[in-house]
Amino acid sequence: MISLNVNGRTHEVDVDPSTPLLWVLRDHLGLTGTKFGCGIAQCGACTVHVDGVARRTCRLAVRGVEGAEITTIEGLSEDGLTPLQEAWLDQDVVQCGYCQSGQIMAASALLASNPEPSDEEIDQAMRRNICRCGAYNRIRLAIRQASGSAPRGGAR
Amino acid sequence: MTAPRRLTRRGFLKRSAAAGGGLVIGFHIPGFGAERLLAATVDSLAPNAFVRVGVDDVITIIVHKSEMGQGVFTSLPMILAEELDADWSKVEVEASPSTPEYAIGFGGQLTGGSTSVMTSWQLFREAGATARAMLVDAAARRWNVDAADLRTEAGVVFDAAGDRRATYGELAEEAATLDVPSSVPLKDPADFRIVGTNVRRLEGPDKVTGAAEFSIDVRLPDMLTAVVAHSPVCGGTVRSFDGSAAEALPGVVKVKQVPSGVAVIGRDFWSARQGRDALEIEWDDGEGARLSSAGLRDEYLAMVETPGAVAEDLGDAAAALDGAARTVEAIYEVPYLAHAPMEPLNATVHAKADGADIWAGTQAQTLDQRAAAGILGLRPEDIRIHTTMLGGGFGRRANPTSDFVSDAVAVAKDEGVPVKTVWTREDDIQCGYYRPMFVHKLAAGIDPSGMPIAWHQRLAGQSIMAGMGFGAPVDPSSVEGAAHMPYAIPNRHVELHSPDKPVTVLWWRSVGHTHTGFVNESFLDEVAHAGGRDPFELRRALLRDEPRHLAVLELAAEKAGWGSPLPEGRGRGIAVRKSFESYVAEVAEVSVEDDGTVRVHRVVCAVDCGVAVNPWNVEAQMESAIVYGLSAALHGEITLEDGRVQQSNFDDYPVLRMDEMPAVEVHIVPSAEPPTGVGEPGVPPIAPAVTNAIFSLTGVRVRRLPIRMSETE
């Protein structure tokens, strides 16, 4: 049995310790907001926070995160939406939406460590997350809105 | 601007159950009998309904097109809500079931070709207007007044004096007892209050919280998960296999052969995936093993030297070429491309003796029903498709074999429990479906004034429609945009070769325009330069009788500052194209670094798509199309060697990332014409806008995609 702390709750899961965290979250804990995109840590769809840091879970063996504080998109906010998620809605960022959990988790980790990132810093942090719908400019705008450097969407 | 709000299916179901009665509007759908008009209460919900008016004032709009990011779950409800005079804050959207009433357009239920708004515009307007008329009629009867004296606004009926009012919910039960009017007046577009405004997508809130359900997220009691080992060679088959090592693994439930390969069914994805790694399979590679991209290229290059099927013949191109003051010739090439939607292909199937339920993010419910029925020995109507959100489509999730759905059906057949079959990213990139590789040979004749007077073009590449079972000497989707160009060039001749190859090919966001857009708009740029004319001015002259082309061309040029000086090291290129009935022009600003890396800094896009139902979404679709097209132009290439696809995932099939993203400006031409496509038309102009900009900056002509400056002369 592996003991995991996910979104503030402790879960005991009976899996091979080499199982990637992604599949434990999705198939064992039912937290399907974290997505499978590539399986080789290239696209970022599976991004969660492990002790506050954005990590790819498709290549992260569950044995390595025992005892860590894991936060998924479902646990990002205890009550309502975070300002980042609100900004995401204001800018109408999403299209198909599949990569967006990972994008939001990556962006919220960025803002936690760097509350007012430059466009360059946003690009460097977010270049690890692929969006095939190409919502990149709106993602950048939403991050800037949440960090206070862009007006609310809809103002234009 | 409409505020976003949370919408979950769970929330909807709860409220709808509590709602009791209400009004359901259906209407005549061509091909399904003349008398299917009906009104009924929510309790006796009829499946050919597009709108439900709840007694709680909630307006539920049922959409038969799949939401794959293109915004159809917002734009179609906007159209219906407009004519209904609904309170937009009370509008909810629901995916339709796969029943025959929704199998409209394309001879079935299918989402593609940028047609959803185009083909549903009238249908959804009438559906909304019909519901409104019945609600007004109900109020007129209740108040004993003439319906003509009543007006509606935001979900409320008012009488002329303004003394009495009733919400749609209050009138819904009475309205449900009335006859459905056979014809209803539609609004004057000048009175639109929802259509034409910037509206945020209805499903947005679920997509920022992880609550939106894609088919890969489906979880059912007793569900198992499978992965399938497919042949590493396109078209190969299983000769023999040993599944004993896989079956010995703890999470593996079963190993079984299916038509596409060998399936491993496990208690979860990772168990099945581990099981697949433990399989030992001997493959029969078949014919496909002889295929290589280099060989195909040689073959196609030889082919374009010989006559093909004639796709267009106007004037006398051969004579005009002979008599031209100058001629230009070139060979252009594009590779196979994978669609690579973010959500890997998957479907969940529960097959029972008398029917099957399929949960799929699919663009082609009717094709999937037929494929599943064939595999299970059932009738198509016994197959119930539950359409979830699609994690991107781009054409991949509508194909003639319903490959990923068929795979899931074959796996789940006889299992008795629901089985989710998931393709890995590699499964899709390798031996999936591709935009076909093409070679074009072109020649143009230019008169002494620099105007083109002759255009000769020969293409070689696989037919997509032949794969769909619609073989023809000239597949229109191969030559769209090459034959019958809008440019006033008097002598034109276009020929096509459609070689039959074992590689499965498919429409890929903007279909034939993906290559003809690049080729024809680049070659026209060559013609302009050869004739000493500005590429924008030449296009203007050749489009003088094409006002909608001209309008987007001029708008893009103006907003991009065409002709104004650029910073040192920057070049500008332009391209214009009509596709999917919409007109798009794009101007790209690029630089080329010392190592040959091409950077696209800014793209200015002008679009005429008729009425822009949701301008914000039109902008989003143009941005999206530009990114999709740039991914292909800068990076995209699928190659074959010994029948094996050499790419497998995002590491060797790279796509555009945020640090490569240009600034994009979208300008929409105001229009009162009926709405036309927006999902695809932004793709075709971007590659040539970029390569034309590279030429203007460096004098180097890129004639092969993806752009590799090291390979140019």
Side-chain angles (χ1 to χ4, degrees):
Chain A
M1 290 295 251
I2 300 266
S3 178
L4 293 176
N5 177 355
V6 181
N7 299 335
R9 288 183 52 199
T10 302
H11 301 266
E12 305 288 327
V13 288
D14 180 15
V15 295
D16 181 315
S18 69
T19 305
L21 175 59
L22 171 65
W23 297 107
V24 174
L25 293 172
R26 289 183 56 80
D27 287 353
H28 294 261
L29 305 184
L31 297 169
T32 54
T34 306
K35 302 301 191 204
F36 168 49
C38 69
I40 59 166
Q42 284 285 313
C43 79
C46 65
T47 304
V48 306
H49 298 169
V50 177
D51 291 330
V53 176
R55 297 286 300 271
R56 308 308 166 87
T57 56
C58 69
R59 281 291 181 97
L60 183 60
V62 73
R63 77 161 80 82
V65 292
E66 266 197 289
E69 272 185 36
I70 298 162
T71 306
T72 70
I73 187 76
E74 292 90 347
L76 194 56
S77 169
E78 285 175 12
D79 183 26
L81 301 177
T82 64
L84 185 68
Q85 287 166 308
E86 295 280 7
W88 232 259
L89 289 179
D90 278 344
Q91 301 292 349
D92 209 30
V93 170
V94 307
Q95 292 189 29
C96 89
Y98 192 79
C99 72
Q100 297 295 337
S101 298
Q103 302 277 3
I104 289 168
M105 296 310 284
S108 64
L110 166 68
L111 292 181
S113 66
N114 182 358
E116 290 176 37
S118 65
D119 276 0
E120 174 78 26
E121 288 169 331
I122 293 172
D123 283 3
Q124 285 314 309
M126 299 302 293
R127 75 172 307 284
R128 291 155 49 81
N129 287 66
I130 291 172
C131 172
R132 285 291 276 156
C133 297
Y136 296 128
N137 284 344
R138 291 181 191 223
I139 290 171
R140 196 190 293 123
L141 211 48
I143 294 171
R144 290 183 54 203
Q145 177 183 326
S147 72
S149 67
R152 283 194 59 180
R156 60 180 175 137
Chain B
M1 181 57 56
T2 308
R5 70 186 173 284
R6 188 170 170 76
L7 163 73
T8 64
R9 199 179 56 168
R10 217 170 292 119
F12 162 75
L13 289 173
K14 238 184 281 166
R15 197 191 25 266
S16 166
L23 171 66
V24 181
I25 299 297
F27 46 88
H28 171 62
I29 294 161
F32 290 96
E35 303 308 324
R36 301 198 67 143
L37 298 174
L38 61 94
T41 65
V42 166
D43 296 331
S44 57
L45 176 62
N48 68 341
F50 285 77
V51 58
R52 283 197 301 265
V53 179
V55 295
D56 56 356
D57 285 326
V58 171
I59 307 292
T60 304
I61 295 172
I62 299 111
V63 174
H64 59 307
K65 296 291 181 179
S66 304
E67 176 58 64
M68 49 191 173
Q70 85 282 40
V72 75
F73 266 32
T74 306
S75 49
L76 291 190
M78 285 173 72
I79 295 166
L80 196 149
E82 177 68 65
E83 293 286 350
L84 176 55
D85 267 342
D87 175 354
W88 182 252
S89 72
K90 299 274 171 55
V91 170
E92 299 199 341
V93 59
E94 195 177 292
S96 82
S98 58
T99 43
E101 288 82 349
Y102 297 103
I104 48 179
F106 301 106
Q109 192 181 355
L110 190 143
T111 306
S114 297
T115 58
S116 295
V117 165
M118 217 185 314
T119 59
S120 308
W121 173 244
Q122 188 72 12
L123 198 67
F124 273 60
R125 287 184 75 187
E126 287 174 3
T130 303
R132 179 188 167 280
M134 293 172 76
L135 291 159
V136 168
D137 194 12
R141 286 163 193 255
R142 183 187 287 189
W143 299 331
N144 199 23
V145 297
D146 188 344
D149 292 333
L150 302 180
R151 65 181 184 86
T152 53
E153 190 181 324
V156 180
V157 183
F158 298 89
D159 72 3
D163 295 338
R164 283 175 293 202
R165 68 192 295 281
T167 69
Y168 286 179
E170 289 163 0
L171 295 164
E173 277 182 299
E174 278 166 79
T177 66
L178 305 176
D179 290 338
V180 179
S182 55
S183 76
V184 285
L186 298 179
K187 278 187 181 177
D188 179 336
D191 298 329
F192 284 169
R193 284 179 293 192
I194 297 173
V195 167
T197 64
N198 288 329
V199 172
R200 293 185 173 94
R201 46 176 68 232
L202 284 170
E203 85 285 11
D206 279 355
K207 286 180 173 175
V208 302
T209 58
E213 191 175 65
F214 298 85
S215 59
I216 203 167
D217 302 327
V218 167
R219 289 164 61 81
L220 299 165
D222 304 319
M223 185 182 82
L224 299 172
T225 302
V227 294
V228 180
H230 296 139
S231 167
V233 170
C234 301
T237 51
V238 175
R239 185 172 286 151
S240 65
F241 73 97
D242 179 356
S244 56
E247 280 178 326
L249 293 173
V252 171
V253 175
K254 190 178 198 175
V255 174
K256 74 192 257 190
Q257 190 169 348
V258 291
S260 69
V262 180
V264 179
I265 303 174
R267 64 172 186 164
D268 52 41
F269 174 86
W270 192 246
S271 300
R273 172 85 167 67
Q274 296 293 94
R276 185 171 78 170
D277 287 349
L279 289 175
E280 286 180 32
I281 307 173
E282 198 186 328
W283 298 97
D284 181 350
D285 292 344
E287 285 290 294
R290 290 206 291 268
L291 276 182
S292 75
S293 295
L296 287 172
R297 177 172 184 246
D298 290 345
E299 194 181 327
Y300 290 6
L301 284 169
M303 222 172 247
V304 295
E305 299 300 330
T306 64
V310 176
E312 184 185 14
D313 190 46
L314 178 72
D316 189 339
L321 270 172
D322 280 345
R326 272 198 80 172
T327 57
V328 192
E329 287 188 22
I331 300 270
Y332 279 81
E333 299 173 56
V334 298
Y336 288 112
L337 292 173
H339 304 69
M342 281 311 296
E343 181 190 8
L345 302 171
N346 68 88
T348 299
V349 178
H350 192 185
K352 293 161 244 176
D354 59 349
D357 288 281
I358 299 178
W359 291 262
T362 178
Q363 293 178 247
Q365 291 84 352
T366 301
L367 292 175
D368 298 343
Q369 285 175 308
R370 288 182 198 152
I375 294 165
L376 297 172
L378 296 167
R379 301 172 305 167
E381 56 267 37
D382 299 327
I383 311 296
R384 294 169 294 272
I385 310 269
H386 308 277
T387 307
T388 61
M389 289 288 157
L390 281 64
F394 315 119
R396 181 65 183 86
R397 298 182 204 269
N399 65 71
T401 58
S402 292
D403 59 351
F404 65 101
V405 174
S406 295
D407 227 21
V409 172
V411 169
K413 186 181 181 183
D414 302 326
E415 295 307 316
V417 295
V419 185
K420 179 193 290 179
T421 297
V422 179
W423 288 29
T424 61
R425 175 66 52 197
E426 292 82 358
D427 294 336
D428 182 27
I429 300 277
Q430 304 195 309
C431 294
Y433 274 93
Y434 306 98
R435 191 285 303 274
M437 164 182 173
F438 264 87
V439 172
H440 292 233
K441 184 183 185 195
L442 301 105
I446 303 169
D447 75 9
S449 74
M451 293 301 284
I453 51 166
W455 184 284
H456 190 282
Q457 183 166 6
R458 230 181 242 151
L459 303 71
Q462 287 172 258
S463 163
I464 294 165
M465 294 314 287
M468 293 283 163
F470 300 106
V474 176
D475 175 349
S477 78
S478 295
V479 297
E480 57 186 357
H484 311 293
M485 285 192 297
Y487 296 118
I489 301 172
N491 302 289
R492 302 198 289 228
H493 189 81
V494 179
E495 293 179 4
L496 173 69
H497 290 276
S498 303
D500 187 18
K501 299 291 170 197
V503 183
T504 42
V505 294
L506 188 63
W507 32 57
W508 185 104
R509 196 174 188 174
S510 79
V511 199
H513 296 282
T514 58
H515 53 99
T516 65
F518 163 60
V519 172
N520 287 55
E521 284 297 294
S522 296
F523 191 62
L524 187 68
D525 212 71
E526 295 202 47
V527 167
H529 288 286
R533 285 179 173 259
D534 176 87
F536 162 62
E537 295 294 346
L538 177 69
R539 284 177 172 81
R540 274 183 84 190
L542 295 173
L543 294 171
R544 58 188 174 268
D545 298 325
E546 299 288 342
R548 295 181 77 180
H549 278 88
L550 206 52
V552 291
L553 181 76
E554 291 179 343
L555 181 59
E558 179 210 325
K559 297 292 184 184
W562 186 265
S564 67
L566 278 168
E568 180 71 24
R570 294 267 181 107
R572 209 182 256 136
I574 192 166
V576 62
R577 166 113 336 190
K578 177 191 180 187
S579 61
F580 308 92
E581 304 305 318
S582 289
Y583 304 77
V584 180
E586 287 164 10
V587 175
E589 276 180 35
V590 310
S591 64
V592 181
E593 294 177 1
D594 290 341
D595 66 357
T597 302
V598 173
R599 295 222 165 264
V600 182
H601 300 274
R602 179 183 181 217
V603 177
V604 176
C605 169
V607 54
D608 173 357
C609 56
V611 171
V613 172
N614 185 357
W616 230 5
N617 188 57
V618 173
E619 287 178 34
Q621 286 310 298
M622 294 302 127
E623 290 171 22
S624 173
I626 287 163
V627 173
Y628 206 73
L630 278 177
S631 285
L634 298 176
H635 304 298
E637 183 171 36
I638 291 291
T639 54
L640 291 155
E641 201 169 301
D642 300 327
R644 287 164 169 79
V645 170
Q646 293 174 291
Q647 294 73 28
S648 62
N649 207 318
F650 290 125
D651 53 347
D652 50 17
Y653 187 70
V655 297
L656 205 80
R657 290 174 181 270
M658 192 186 266
D659 58 337
E660 299 171 291
M661 182 69 196
V664 176
E665 289 168 35
V666 179
H667 302 278
I668 300 172
V669 176
S671 173
E673 297 292 324
T676 49
V678 299
E680 295 167 275
V683 176
I686 189 60
V690 169
T691 56
N692 293 343
I694 291 171
F695 182 82
S696 81
L697 176 67
T698 65
V700 172
R701 179 57 63 183
V702 177
R703 298 192 184 94
R704 189 176 180 181
L705 296 182
I707 299 165
R708 291 201 178 99
M709 296 307 288
S710 58
E711 289 178 6
T712 54
E713 297 142 29

